[in-house]
């Protein structure tokens, strides 16, 4: 009988995340946030990061509009599928607005690049990008985020909104995951 389970190696602790989120929001505000900045978050992986940064923006006195784009690129594997599917929720155009596009992790670059192009086509006044994690890999698409939380090695990670097949999003830290098959 084969029993599948996972081993976890914590790479970024809850405390480190909390500290970094505060710094990052300060950095973004000092740069470009005006009242009524629109945050467009790429779902689903960014939802925990988003929840933390928007409350940090609020603590620092910023007013926001928050919208979403639904992207899927992994579907049950640990290898990026290359051509992300974008499903747009009904949302107001970002024409003339100050926009911050937020995603969980930059890997090949396909997802951030595709979402950025969608928003650029709506002619925002300012469009900046922010990802929680940047994977230290050679990108397939040439894109650099304006802001990021942490750089990580080329490992598949979960937690803080990131999942493996829908699991582990609830973990308050970032962990490298390894699947272990045990024969009993
Ligand atoms: P690309 O390759 O388009 O990937 O830059 C970005 C999207 O892929 C997902 N992704 C991951 N999800 N652990 C995850 O749970 C990972 O290590 C990982 N690497 C990429 C993620 O949804 C991201 O938006």
């Amino acid at each position: 009988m084969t029993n599948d389970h996972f081993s976890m190696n914590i790479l970024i602790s809850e405390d480190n995340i909390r500290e970094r989120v505060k710094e990052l929001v300060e950095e973004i505000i000092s740069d470009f946030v005006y009242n009524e900045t629109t945050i467009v978050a790429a779902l689903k992986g960014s939802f925990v990061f988003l929840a933390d940064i928007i409350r940090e923006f609020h603590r620092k006195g910023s007013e926001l509009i928050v919208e979403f784009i639904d992207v899927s690129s992994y579907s049950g594997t640990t290898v990026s599928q290359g051509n992300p599917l974008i499903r747009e929720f009904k949302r107001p155009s970002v024409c003339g607005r100050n926009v911050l596009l937020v995603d969980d992790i930059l890997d090949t670059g396909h997802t951030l690049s595709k979402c950025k192009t969608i928003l650029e086509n709506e002619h925002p006044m300012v469009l900046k990008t922010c990802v929680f994690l940047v994977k230290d890999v050679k990108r397939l698409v040439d894109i650099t985020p304006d802001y990021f939380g942490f750089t990580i090695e080329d490992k598949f990670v979960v937690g803080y909104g990131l999942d493996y097949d829908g699991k582990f999003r609830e973990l308050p830290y970032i962990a490298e995951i390894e699947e272990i098959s045990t024969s009993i």
Side-chain angles (χ1 to χ4, degrees):
M1 205 168 83
T2 301
N3 208 358
D4 286 333
H5 61 280
F6 301 89
S7 82
M8 299 269 177
N9 173 25
I10 297 180
L11 299 180
I12 308 173
S13 71
E14 205 176 341
D15 284 351
N16 286 350
I17 292 175
R18 197 176 305 116
E19 281 308 303
R20 183 65 191 124
V21 163
K22 275 193 199 151
E23 285 173 8
L24 190 59
V25 170
E26 264 163 34
E27 203 180 314
I28 298 170
I29 288 177
S30 67
D31 250 21
F32 99 104
V33 166
Y34 316 95
N35 258 346
E36 293 240 322
T37 287
T38 300
I39 292 192
V40 180
L43 290 175
K44 303 173 189 159
S46 69
F47 78 101
V48 179
F49 179 47
L50 174 75
D52 279 354
I53 61 171
I54 60 175
R55 286 174 299 171
E56 197 55 37
F57 275 115
H58 169 72
R59 276 179 216 117
K60 293 184 162 52
S62 304
E63 289 179 9
L64 304 170
I65 291 173
V66 182
E67 296 290 346
F68 300 93
I69 293 181
D70 187 14
V71 190
S72 89
S73 46
Y74 265 67
S75 60
T77 75
T78 55
V79 181
S80 178
Q81 299 301 297
N83 187 21
L85 293 173
I86 310 277
R87 194 165 52 105
E88 273 277 42
F89 296 111
K90 199 165 162 23
R91 61 164 174 80
S93 159
V94 296
C95 181
R97 304 206 57 94
N98 305 300
V99 180
L100 183 67
L101 169 60
V102 171
D103 200 4
D104 52 357
I105 184 166
L106 180 68
D107 189 347
T108 64
H110 282 293
T111 305
L112 193 65
S113 163
K114 203 160 174 179
C115 293
K116 193 176 171 192
T117 303
I118 289 172
L119 297 175
E120 268 166 357
N121 288 340
E122 295 174 24
H123 308 291
M125 186 161 81
V126 178
L127 174 59
K128 301 275 188 180
T129 55
C130 174
V131 295
F132 180 59
L133 298 174
V134 172
K135 261 194 201 178
D136 190 10
V137 291
K138 191 167 168 14
R139 309 252 173 273
L140 299 179
V141 177
D142 184 21
I143 185 162
T144 307
D146 297 295
Y147 307 97
F148 66 92
F150 298 91
T151 304
I152 58 162
E153 288 172 34
D154 187 11
K155 294 175 170 166
F156 190 80
V157 293
V158 295
Y160 200 60
L162 289 150
D163 73 310
Y164 172 74
D165 213 8
K167 300 186 192 100
F168 309 120
R169 293 190 196 275
E170 70 279 18
L171 302 178
Y173 46 76
I174 290 290
E176 175 188 1
I177 188 176
E178 241 177 78
E179 198 166 354
I180 305 170
S181 295
T182 318
S183 297
I184 302 171

